[in-house]
Amino acid sequence: HYRRYTLGELRAVVEAAGFTISTLRYVDRLGIVPYWLNYRLLNKSGLSGVSAWTFDKVFVPAMAATDRVLGRVNTGRNAVCVAVRR
């Protein structure tokens, strides 16, 4: 499964399916760097156990802290959408 949406594309798909969007934003802005290093630069197909541990223990807390300090910005590796059925 591989699917990437911009926020505009995701909004269009969700609304076309009959939902009203409550929240739509990018998350995981710091995840762009390790993603790019692993999958683009090093051409890896997955994460090793060490890489997954590092991401969970280092990047996830750093992302949370960054979001608190910098607030939401219009960039990130993943999009989150919370929607309710009309």
Side-chain angles (χ1 to χ4, degrees):
H1 176 78
Y2 179 84
R3 190 174 291 154
R4 296 281 179 197
Y5 291 103
T6 65
L7 292 185
E9 292 167 339
L10 184 55
R11 176 180 298 281
V13 168
V14 170
E15 289 177 345
F19 290 87
T20 301
I21 295 175
S22 302
T23 302
L24 178 61
R25 64 185 173 97
Y26 284 114
V27 295
D28 192 12
R29 78 181 97 188
L30 293 181
I32 294 170
V33 174
Y35 170 82
W36 186 83
L37 287 172
N38 272 318
Y39 296 104
R40 301 294 182 196
L41 186 64
L42 300 175
N43 204 27
K44 291 185 178 182
S45 62
L47 288 177
S48 69
V50 172
S51 295
W53 182 91
T54 302
F55 185 80
D56 286 344
K57 300 299 181 189
V58 175
F59 280 94
V60 170
M63 287 183 286
T66 302
D67 285 346
R68 283 191 303 273
V69 172
L70 299 177
R72 294 183 183 149
V73 295
N74 198 20
T75 188
R77 194 172 65 92
N78 298 301
V80 170
C81 180
V82 177
V84 293
R85 191 97 165 128
R86 288 186 228 166

